[in-house]
Amino acid sequence: ITSIPIAYFKDLPIITFRKYYKGYAIYFGFDISKTFWIINQGRPVDNDYDKDGYLRNGDGIVLKSNKIPVTDEFLIFLENVINHIYPIPFIYHLPPFDEKYIIPDALFFYGGDDESTKGIHLPAAEFMKSLGLPYHINIMPDKNFEFAISNEEFEKLEKNNTEISLHYNFMDNFDHPIGFSEEDINKQTEIFINRFKKIPVCVNTHWLRWTGWYEPALWMEKYGIKGFNGKIHSKFPPVNPINKIGFAFGTSFPFFYWTDYKYENKKIEFIDLPITFYECGYVGEKTDFKKLEKAISLAIKYNSISNFFYHPIYISKFPACRKAIEKIIEIIKKKNLKILHFTPDKTTKFWIERSR
């Protein structure tokens, strides 16, 4: 019996296909499910592997290149193989564009962190609202565990179509490179909940700090937090890789965290929303619209869920940042694209509901 090679690695067949009695057999020369798990979730952040001086989620990157969403390519391949053998309907990875159930070209979601800076939240939110875009701001406690907005500002922002969530600060009062503990998560989560009477939905950490493998996801999940918008798009250093496109964890789509043998390899009801387009389209006072064109083209190619990450301080203070965001809308209109505009919280809720 001869199998047909359908994928190669360095001229050697790595995936083969053949008919077997009334069915078909596909052989993978590697563990496909483990490959997804390792690339998406990364390795444990138990050392400063990239030597940037901090334990951050970039220390968990296992891929050598971030140019293409590798595991998304695998998913497309698997869907095509299954449909070739026996066409079946799949649950589509995007919600409908409108009440007519038109399929969208992509889903973009927008958010950023306040870095505990006063006076930037409302101007940033108003700008996004002027473009018809929703927005999400993660607010961070400073070294004294004080937030940069009042309760009145919090309520005003939420009424202004702006989500507010928690931006953990594991930079101040830490002797780097070092991790953080469950007690650190507990303290800042409880300060936020007690202050604003709200359980965060999708959070992240200052400088994208992480520790261990899945443990922070378990610590956050116990409070009812559902997601983390933080798997970085590009390796560190540089410390702040702005105006870069990347898929350092292999995907633009949300994915669930899983435990190891200590918790019987169970799925945690907690997802990561990878960063893909970080402060994209400008550097300082100079715009870079070619980068935006590339980002949107990639999103359309994969019909992806893509994160346009813009800090409120840059939106409120940097004209080039605002021009870049305006350019996104201009490109969408020019190409007549059907784009869903979401936020991290809304994307998190959609993905978890879809999984059920």
Side-chain angles (χ1 to χ4, degrees):
I1 300 173
T2 302
S3 294
I4 302 170
I6 55 176
Y8 291 84
F9 177 71
K10 294 183 177 179
D11 297 326
L12 297 173
I14 193 69
I15 304 173
T16 61
F17 174 89
R18 69 181 175 91
K19 186 171 177 56
Y20 186 76
Y21 290 97
K22 294 182 180 180
Y24 295 85
I26 303 171
Y27 172 78
F28 289 85
F30 58 98
D31 188 328
I32 184 70
S33 58
K34 184 177 180 181
T35 298
F36 272 86
W37 191 356
I38 291 174
I39 292 175
N40 291 165
Q41 195 161 311
R43 65 184 169 190
V45 177
D46 54 10
N47 201 345
D48 182 19
Y49 292 106
D50 58 19
K51 306 302 180 186
D52 70 344
Y54 306 93
L55 295 192
R56 308 167 73 187
N57 65 38
D59 293 304
I61 296 170
V62 297
L63 290 175
K64 293 182 179 180
S65 173
N66 68 342
K67 292 182 179 180
I68 63 170
V70 176
T71 57
D72 295 350
E73 289 280 359
F74 283 146
L75 275 177
I76 293 168
F77 171 82
L78 288 171
E79 286 187 358
N80 287 339
V81 168
I82 292 169
N83 274 311
H84 173 75
I85 296 171
Y86 187 76
I88 60 173
F90 287 91
I91 299 174
Y92 198 59
H93 54 266
L94 299 178
F97 184 69
D98 57 19
E99 66 278 0
K100 296 179 181 179
Y101 292 95
I102 294 172
I103 297 174
D105 294 307
L107 185 157
F108 297 167
F109 66 96
Y110 308 87
D113 313 322
D114 78 345
E115 317 292 4
S116 197
T117 307
K118 293 183 178 181
I120 59 171
H121 309 78
L122 287 169
E126 288 289 350
F127 172 76
M128 296 297 281
K129 186 177 180 180
S130 73
L131 297 178
L133 296 176
Y135 192 48
H136 172 113
I137 301 176
N138 299 301
I139 59 174
M140 183 183 83
D142 63 17
K143 63 181 180 181
N144 298 314
F145 303 104
E146 295 291 336
F147 292 97
I149 64 171
S150 65
N151 288 64
E152 291 74 21
E153 288 173 307
F154 185 100
E155 292 175 6
K156 188 173 182 179
L157 284 162
E158 290 210 315
K159 289 177 181 177
N160 202 37
N161 202 30
T162 300
E163 294 173 351
I164 304 296
S165 192
L166 176 57
H167 185 42
Y168 290 101
N169 182 0
F170 303 133
M171 291 297 294
D172 293 330
N173 307 317
F174 283 81
D175 186 16
H176 301 284
I178 193 173
F180 53 87
S181 68
E182 183 174 5
E183 288 70 26
D184 294 319
I185 289 280
N186 295 348
K187 182 174 183 178
Q188 294 189 31
T189 304
E190 290 169 10
I191 288 172
F192 180 93
I193 293 172
N194 292 334
R195 170 73 182 276
F196 299 110
K197 311 304 179 188
K198 175 187 176 181
I199 297 172
V201 177
C202 183
V203 300
N204 71 0
T205 54
H206 195 32
W207 283 41
L208 302 179
R209 292 266 276 119
W210 196 257
T211 191
W213 196 28
Y214 57 84
E215 291 84 356
L218 276 180
W219 302 337
M220 296 177 203
E221 182 206 25
K222 74 179 184 182
Y223 284 98
I225 298 170
K226 302 296 184 184
F228 183 81
N229 178 204
K231 287 293 190 186
I232 194 61
H233 57 301
S234 179
K235 289 183 178 180
F236 304 120
V239 168
N240 193 29
I242 61 171
N243 195 35
K244 287 182 178 289
I245 296 169
F247 309 94
F249 288 88
T251 183
S252 68
F253 291 103
F255 59 86
F256 285 91
Y257 280 84
W258 293 72
T259 66
D260 59 14
Y261 70 95
K262 295 175 186 174
Y263 295 91
E264 300 180 346
N265 300 324
K266 75 169 185 176
K267 183 177 79 171
I268 306 172
E269 285 297 308
F270 185 95
I271 66 172
D272 196 286
L273 275 64
I275 296 170
T276 47
F277 310 137
Y278 182 78
E279 299 294 343
C280 191
Y282 78 102
V283 176
E285 291 302 328
K286 294 183 178 180
T287 56
D288 182 3
F289 294 157
K290 287 185 178 179
K291 189 66 66 72
L292 276 178
E293 292 273 4
K294 181 180 179 182
I296 293 173
S297 293
L298 276 168
I300 300 308
K301 176 182 178 181
Y302 291 98
N303 304 119
S304 70
I305 294 176
S306 294
N307 178 208
F308 281 91
F309 197 104
Y310 293 103
H311 291 79
I313 189 170
Y314 297 142
I315 295 175
S316 62
K317 304 278 187 185
F318 284 72
C321 177
R322 296 193 293 274
K323 290 177 183 176
I325 299 170
E326 289 171 340
K327 189 66 176 180
I328 295 172
I329 303 302
E330 181 183 320
I331 294 170
I332 291 170
K333 290 180 178 178
K334 183 179 178 180
K335 295 187 176 183
N336 195 29
L337 300 174
K338 296 183 288 294
I339 304 297
L340 290 166
H341 300 289
F342 274 34
T343 53
D345 284 6
K346 189 174 181 179
T347 306
T348 298
K349 292 174 182 177
F350 159 71
W351 198 258
I352 290 174
E353 184 61 30
R354 175 186 177 275
S355 74
R356 293 171 178 164

